[in-house]
Amino acid sequence: MSVLSIDNLSGGYGEADILHGISLEINAGEIVVVIGPNGAGKSTAMKAVFGLLRLSGGSVHLAGEEITNMDPAEVVNKGVCYVPQTNNVFPTLTVHENLEMGAYIRKDDFRPRLAEIYEMFPPLAEKKKQAAGELSGGQRQMVAMGKALMLEPTLLMLDEPTAGLSPIYRNEIFQIVRQINDSGVPILMVEQNAKQSLAVASRGYVLVDGQNRTTGKGTDLLNDPEIAKMFLGG
Amino acid sequence: MDSAQAYGYMLYFVSLMTMGGIYAIMCLGLNIQWGFTGLFNAGIAGFFAIGAYVTAILTTAASTSHLGGYDLPVAIGLISAMAVTAVIAWLVGLLCIRLRSDYLAIATIGIGEIFRLILKNEIWATNGARGIAKIPLPFESLNEPWNKIGFMMLVLVIVTVFYFLIERARLAPWGRLMTAIRENEYSARAAGKNVERVRIEAFVCGSVLMGLAGGLMAHYIKFIGPGATEPLTTTFLVWVMLIAGGSGNNRGAILGAFLLWAIWSFTEVLTGRLPAELAVKAAYFRIFLIGLLLQIVLQRYAGGILPERRPSLNIKA
Amino acid sequence: MIPRSQKCFWADNNFKMDFINFYLIPGLVLGSIYALGAIGVSLVFGILRFANFAHGELMLIGAYITYSLMVFTGLHPLMVLPIAMLFTSLVAVGIDHTFYKPFRASKSTIVIVASFGIALMARSAVQIIWGVDTFSYSSGRIQMPMILFDTLRLSHKHVWIVCCSVALMAVIHLILTRTRTGKAMRAMSDSAELARLTGIKTENVVKATWVLGASLATAAGVFLGWDSHLHSMMGFYMLLPMFAAAILGGIGQPYGAMVGGLVVGLAEELSAYPWIGDSPLLSPAYKAGVAFALMIIMLIWRPSGLFKGRVF
């Protein structure tokens, strides 16, 4: 059974639909990457999982249970964490407080997990008391991911985690993504950076105009000449 | 029903139409500001008071207790009331118009409050808390019912004239631009429109109507004091009138004004018959009910009685 | 007042004490009261994203409930204040649930109109229940002020008001930085959407915000009534200075609101000091204008406030 399955989903924000029947599936242990040109509906598809969209058709299932149109807080309670592309940290809260907020719904003692996160992101340990809004883009992204991981999620969704970052941070983030995945967390990731992300992906989806174009193994897509022409600059 | 009673009812009807008409003018003014352009003016009472005092100072007979007493004709008083309100609204607009709606609302409350302070404290000009009395009523030379009827006609003619003017403006590019700014300021700006200027124009036009209404009220009740700027009787009633009648719809604004004034006036007559002790409390109960009415309209009938109707796209401008 | 004989007043100890006794201390007292109100305004503005015009009326309700509890129990207003805070919080949560919640997803301007109506409903409710006469917490007996160092006059109630305000602000600080709900409030003030994505139950945070705001408003109302007297317009007159303080400090910044409150309170009192010549710099009748002027200057010069608040 798949961890998450999106079936024939349609919907949008205003009156016009952005998604026109897309389907995605994530299985246990996978990194699934969604690529596509601007406006293809990649981020919109992620928001749809979190009930942030007006849906006009289709369904979302989490481990077999329907979560279509569920309240975001409920989806989090089911163990899904979503890191938006922008505004993904609380800027006036300290790094430490951001991580604590990540564990907001946990009733148990989350201090061991906190220590693990600091171990995973050493720069954050040094800046515990600093307001997250004052950090660099790469460090903010670490806070955002760390905050999501505080829950020990059953599924992690990342929306363009490397957008606007320098190559050094970009490599680091991809490394962390793989590291998180190695610890058993399936990841659904939207990326602009097709080459690097497909390289870490188990499978990839290509969306165009709110519809599925192709899907396949990460490496297969990477070697597909048509995909290469579309996204990888030939 | 004997003739004296019928005469009494007739006079009551005339006063109802006159006051309703004065509120309708303010309501049209607020409709330009809030209904069309989305400007939150919580200082209606202030502009109303300016208009009232300007005409009072210009048209009363010479007096030592306040500024002026120039004994000028009523028409000049009313036109000056509009002109002074326009200048002050323009200055206020320059200062505050860029503020987001929440801030504009607080700022206009502050402006209304400052006007009230000035009118209360600058005794040399306004006679302070005692106010200005003996403001001439136009058509005073006519006999008892006819002067009142004449004034009512004047008010209703003004309402009609402004209704047609504003309705024309609404359908013209100027009015459409206002709605565009209300709906999406940024796209209006991106389309190269001077948003600030249109907002100031809307603010000034609306305030001028409030000043005119203040002037008319001063002549009608022949007295003006700082109590007239109590935010309740003017600002709040006008807001409820517009929201209930239909924000963005000129006919709705006028309908709301007459309807709410009729309710307000009838309930006053009813509570006036209660024993004195209860009557005082009943006055506050009326305000409570008007507030509740506003909440019900906002939650259940957001468009008001006559909801806004956008001009169709194929209209010939 | 001591007749002034020389212009250089700081050289003269009497003038210095006059300044402290009649301008600085009342300014601090007023500033503390404004600060308590402004924290609530700022929290509600930051978390619910609308200017609550009825916040002054929460002060009014709190002050009158305290009065009734005082009469009923015969205890000092400070003793019954916690109970009054509880009642006022219930009123605030009830108002939110009935009148504001239906507009959560709407444009904030609709809620402002609603809160405008609530302000009048609340005030008229107070006028119906308690009437329009002024009330006083004190039983008419005048307490002699403490005189320190021969010249510093401190009235007991002023000392109490300032100390209690500082204590309440310390409590707020602890709640916002040490408790889970307090941190969630700050998080929601930063970004309501991210708070929801994090699994924070935003409606509970909203309730907590009203409880804090209403409790502080109650304290502010009681202190204001204690400093002078209770009347049904007191809430409305507080609205402008409270908003000025909240904007000055930066919307959504409770610490900014504390500083803003003190600045507005001091500015109002000090504006009446005869800085130049013998007459007050600004007639005390125009005190309310000072708050307004500060607010406008701030909105034009630096809308994010002194403490980098949210700009809407």
Side-chain angles (χ1 to χ4, degrees), chain A residues 153-204:
Chain A
T154 54
L155 172 66
L156 181 63
M157 307 203 319
L158 304 172
D159 193 350
E160 301 204 16
T162 66
L165 297 188
S166 68
I168 302 168
Y169 270 123
R170 215 185 295 160
N171 295 337
E172 200 166 336
I173 296 286
F174 277 120
Q175 216 176 330
I176 293 165
V177 166
R178 204 175 287 172
Q179 193 187 334
I180 295 168
N181 185 246
D182 285 345
S183 68
V185 182
I187 293 173
L188 172 63
M189 179 163 66
V190 163
E191 257 302 331
Q192 288 275 0
N193 192 337
K195 207 180 256 176
Q196 244 175 326
S197 58
L198 286 175
V200 298
S202 331
R203 288 186 304 116

Side-chain angles (χ1 to χ4, degrees), chain A residues 78-130:
Chain A
K78 305 247 172 244
V80 183
C81 281
Y82 169 47
V83 181
Q85 187 188 339
T86 52
N87 297 327
N88 50 20
V89 296
F90 299 114
T92 68
L93 267 59
T94 64
V95 170
H96 194 77
E97 286 170 332
N98 264 284
L99 296 181
E100 282 180 329
M101 280 298 111
Y104 185 82
I105 60 169
R106 285 182 69 151
K107 301 273 184 278
D108 54 340
D109 183 10
F110 54 78
R111 275 173 295 182
R113 184 63 179 166
L114 204 52
E116 281 172 38
I117 300 290
Y118 280 131
E119 211 172 303
M120 193 184 283
F121 305 96
L124 301 189
E126 292 165 25
K127 304 201 163 173
K128 267 186 200 178
K129 298 259 155 105
Q130 211 167 326

Side-chain angles (χ1 to χ4, degrees), chain C:
Chain C
M1 292 273 276
I2 300 121
R4 54 179 45 240
S5 48
Q6 56 195 107
K7 286 279 167 210
C8 182
F9 64 87
W10 287 110
D12 185 322
N13 201 37
N14 281 333
F15 283 129
K16 206 192 288 183
M17 292 329 286
D18 251 22
F19 176 77
I20 293 173
N21 288 333
F22 299 114
Y23 296 92
L24 195 61
I25 291 173
L28 282 174
V29 171
L30 200 58
S32 314
I33 295 169
Y34 288 163
L36 291 179
I39 296 168
V41 166
S42 199
L43 283 175
V44 170
F45 209 151
I47 287 166
L48 286 145
R49 282 166 175 65
F50 78 97
N52 179 24
F53 278 12
H55 204 79
E57 269 55 39
L58 287 179
M59 290 179 61
L60 176 72
I61 292 171
Y64 273 78
I65 290 178
T66 306
Y67 176 80
S68 285
L69 287 171
M70 181 195 83
V71 171
F72 184 69
T73 60
L75 293 168
H76 190 276
L78 282 184
M79 303 289 287
V80 291
L81 182 61
I83 309 168
M85 283 176 166
L86 191 73
F87 279 123
T88 316
S89 298
L90 285 176
V91 170
V93 170
I95 287 175
D96 178 68
H97 186 82
T98 323
F99 298 111
Y100 297 155
K101 201 177 170 191
F103 302 113
R104 283 281 198 271
S106 320
K107 274 185 172 178
S108 77
T109 40
I110 299 295
V111 201
I112 308 173
V113 179
S115 79
F116 191 12
I118 293 296
L120 275 135
M121 286 168 74
R123 194 203 305 168
S124 46
V126 166
Q127 286 163 333
I128 294 165
I129 299 170
W130 284 280
V132 285
D133 300 330
T134 58
F135 291 117
S136 174
Y137 288 128
S138 59
S139 44
R141 145 182 77 96
I142 294 164
Q143 264 188 326
M144 287 312 288
M146 293 186 269
I147 311 250
L148 302 175
F149 317 117
D150 287 342
T151 46
L152 183 65
R153 299 153 61 95
L154 283 177
S155 77
H156 287 92
K157 66 183 181 188
H158 283 169
V159 175
W160 273 106
I161 289 172
V162 172
C163 290
C164 290
S165 300
V166 171
L168 279 170
M169 287 182 222
V171 169
I172 291 298
H173 169 76
L174 290 178
I175 290 176
L176 289 177
T177 55
R178 297 278 196 281
T179 68
R180 185 166 165 265
T181 307
K183 287 176 201 170
M185 284 169 71
R186 284 163 54 218
M188 199 178 157
S189 185
D190 270 1
S191 167
E193 187 178 89
L194 187 60
R196 284 205 299 153
L197 291 177
T198 309
I200 294 172
K201 292 220 169 52
T202 48
E203 279 305 318
N204 291 350
V205 177
V206 167
K207 281 196 191 95
T209 308
W210 283 114
V211 169
L212 272 192
S215 300
L216 292 176
T218 306
V222 169
F223 295 161
L224 185 70
W226 194 13
D227 193 30
S228 52
H229 52 262
L230 296 171
H231 59 97
S232 56
M233 288 300 284
M234 62 192 274
F236 177 70
Y237 292 142
M238 289 293 286
L239 197 62
L240 209 51
M242 283 193 307
F243 270 100
I247 289 168
L248 208 62
I251 291 301
Q253 298 290 327
Y255 307 110
M258 295 175 193
V259 176
L262 277 178
V263 171
V264 173
L266 283 170
E268 283 192 359
E269 292 295 332
L270 299 188
S271 68
Y273 187 76
W275 294 101
I276 310 159
D278 283 341
S279 58
L281 185 67
L282 185 75
S283 157
Y286 288 111
K287 254 188 211 171
V290 176
F292 175 73
L294 279 174
M295 184 174 84
I296 293 293
I297 292 168
M298 206 61 195
L299 283 176
I300 290 168
W301 171 59
R302 196 173 160 167
S304 61
L306 294 170
F307 291 79
K308 275 202 257 166
R310 176 173 291 280
V311 184
F312 287 91

